[in-house]
PDB file of all heavy atoms in Angstrom:
ATOM      1  N   GLY A 159      34.217   4.544  15.204  1.00  0.00           N
ATOM      2  CA  GLY A 159      35.656   4.752  15.054  1.00  0.00           C
ATOM      3  C   GLY A 159      36.491   4.486  16.293  1.00  0.00           C
ATOM      4  O   GLY A 159      37.656   4.125  16.204  1.00  0.00           O
ATOM      5  N   PHE A 160      35.874   4.582  17.472  1.00  0.00           N
ATOM      6  CA  PHE A 160      36.608   4.317  18.725  1.00  0.00           C
ATOM      7  C   PHE A 160      36.855   2.832  18.959  1.00  0.00           C
ATOM      8  O   PHE A 160      37.805   2.435  19.652  1.00  0.00           O
ATOM      9  CB  PHE A 160      35.872   4.887  19.948  1.00  0.00           C
ATOM     10  CG  PHE A 160      35.687   6.411  19.848  1.00  0.00           C
ATOM     11  CD1 PHE A 160      34.472   6.978  19.705  1.00  0.00           C
ATOM     12  CD2 PHE A 160      36.847   7.202  20.065  1.00  0.00           C
ATOM     13  CE1 PHE A 160      34.324   8.375  19.645  1.00  0.00           C
ATOM     14  CE2 PHE A 160      36.662   8.600  20.016  1.00  0.00           C
ATOM     15  CZ  PHE A 160      35.431   9.170  19.825  1.00  0.00           C
ATOM     16  N   GLY A 161      35.987   2.006  18.416  1.00  0.00           N
ATOM     17  CA  GLY A 161      36.077   0.569  18.653  1.00  0.00           C
ATOM     18  C   GLY A 161      37.404  -0.087  18.190  1.00  0.00           C
ATOM     19  O   GLY A 161      38.018  -0.766  18.967  1.00  0.00           O
ATOM     20  N   PRO A 162      37.779   0.123  16.954  1.00  0.00           N
ATOM     21  CA  PRO A 162      39.008  -0.533  16.438  1.00  0.00           C
ATOM     22  C   PRO A 162      40.245  -0.195  17.264  1.00  0.00           C
ATOM     23  O   PRO A 162      41.105  -1.025  17.484  1.00  0.00           O
ATOM     24  CB  PRO A 162      39.133   0.005  15.029  1.00  0.00           C
ATOM     25  CG  PRO A 162      37.686   0.276  14.614  1.00  0.00           C
ATOM     26  CD  PRO A 162      37.069   0.826  15.883  1.00  0.00           C
ATOM     27  N   ASP A 163      40.332   1.080  17.726  1.00  0.00           N
ATOM     28  CA  ASP A 163      41.508   1.459  18.521  1.00  0.00           C
ATOM     29  C   ASP A 163      41.560   0.690  19.822  1.00  0.00           C
ATOM     30  O   ASP A 163      42.628   0.208  20.250  1.00  0.00           O
ATOM     31  CB  ASP A 163      41.436   2.966  18.854  1.00  0.00           C
ATOM     32  CG  ASP A 163      41.714   3.840  17.581  1.00  0.00           C
ATOM     33  OD1 ASP A 163      42.282   3.282  16.655  1.00  0.00           O
ATOM     34  OD2 ASP A 163      41.265   4.976  17.611  1.00  0.00           O
ATOM     35  N   ALA A 164      40.388   0.554  20.439  1.00  0.00           N
ATOM     36  CA  ALA A 164      40.359  -0.220  21.718  1.00  0.00           C
ATOM     37  C   ALA A 164      40.672  -1.704  21.468  1.00  0.00           C
ATOM     38  O   ALA A 164      41.389  -2.322  22.264  1.00  0.00           O
ATOM     39  CB  ALA A 164      39.007  -0.049  22.401  1.00  0.00           C
ATOM     40  N   MET A 165      40.152  -2.253  20.379  1.00  0.00           N
ATOM     41  CA  MET A 165      40.401  -3.664  20.067  1.00  0.00           C
ATOM     42  C   MET A 165      41.885  -3.914  19.767  1.00  0.00           C
ATOM     43  O   MET A 165      42.415  -4.965  20.100  1.00  0.00           O
ATOM     44  CB  MET A 165      39.533  -4.106  18.919  1.00  0.00           C
ATOM     45  CG  MET A 165      38.064  -4.312  19.309  1.00  0.00           C
ATOM     46  SD  MET A 165      37.086  -5.081  18.006  1.00  0.00           S
ATOM     47  CE  MET A 165      36.893  -3.748  16.849  1.00  0.00           C
ATOM     48  N   SER A 166      42.528  -2.922  19.185  1.00  0.00           N
ATOM     49  CA  SER A 166      43.949  -3.097  18.826  1.00  0.00           C
ATOM     50  C   SER A 166      44.836  -3.178  20.099  1.00  0.00           C
ATOM     51  O   SER A 166      45.955  -3.637  20.068  1.00  0.00           O
ATOM     52  CB  SER A 166      44.410  -1.930  17.951  1.00  0.00           C
ATOM     53  OG  SER A 166      44.436  -0.722  18.711  1.00  0.00           O
ATOM     54  N   GLN A 167      44.248  -2.781  21.216  1.00  0.00           N
ATOM     55  CA  GLN A 167      45.000  -2.783  22.525  1.00  0.00           C
ATOM     56  C   GLN A 167      44.484  -3.941  23.344  1.00  0.00           C
ATOM     57  O   GLN A 167      44.758  -3.973  24.575  1.00  0.00           O
ATOM     58  CB  GLN A 167      44.837  -1.487  23.241  1.00  0.00           C
ATOM     59  CG  GLN A 167      45.370  -0.278  22.476  1.00  0.00           C
ATOM     60  CD  GLN A 167      45.175   1.048  23.179  1.00  0.00           C
ATOM     61  OE1 GLN A 167      45.584   1.207  24.314  1.00  0.00           O
ATOM     62  NE2 GLN A 167      44.536   1.975  22.495  1.00  0.00           N
ATOM     63  N   GLY A 168      43.733  -4.895  22.733  1.00  0.00           N
ATOM     64  CA  GLY A 168      43.369  -6.123  23.427  1.00  0.00           C
ATOM     65  C   GLY A 168      42.038  -6.063  24.112  1.00  0.00           C
ATOM     66  O   GLY A 168      41.627  -7.048  24.792  1.00  0.00           O
TER      67      GLY A 168
END
Side-chain angles (χ1 to χ4, degrees):
F160 297 110
D163 290 339
M165 285 189 287
S166 69
Q167 298 177 58

